[in-house]
Amino acid sequence: LFVYWKVAPEALAEALARARDAQAELQAVHPALQAGLWCREDAAATVMETYTALEGIDAATEAAIAQAMTDALAGLPAGPRH
């Protein structure tokens, strides 16, 4: 699973910290889940989240990821995740 979003450069450090914390919490609940976070800094930083699991990512896990990241990024000047 690959998810992209943009964030204002001044909020990048906070957004990455929150996203990393959310991914760590997700991995604690879903031990088979492997998560990654990548960033390209340009006018608006582009962030890519990656998720894999040996057995695949089911709909419930995908929904948990979406909710955790929505909660983590709330209040930050970040674009929609897609």
Side-chain angles (χ1 to χ4, degrees):
L1 176 64
F2 298 92
V3 182
Y4 295 88
W5 44 277
K6 291 191 179 286
V7 63
E10 64 274 8
L12 179 60
E14 179 70 18
L16 292 176
R18 290 186 191 188
R20 285 189 184 103
D21 288 347
Q23 286 183 329
E25 290 175 18
L26 284 162
Q27 289 177 294
V29 174
H30 305 276
L33 186 66
Q34 296 179 2
L37 198 60
W38 307 90
C39 180
R40 182 183 73 218
E41 293 186 56
D42 43 24
T46 302
V47 180
M48 179 179 71
E49 304 164 36
T50 62
Y51 301 93
T52 61
L54 187 58
E55 299 295 322
I57 297 175
D58 61 22
T61 303
E62 190 169 343
I65 291 167
Q67 187 62 59
M69 296 307 290
T70 297
D71 292 348
L73 299 173
L76 292 177
R81 296 172 66 252
H82 55 90

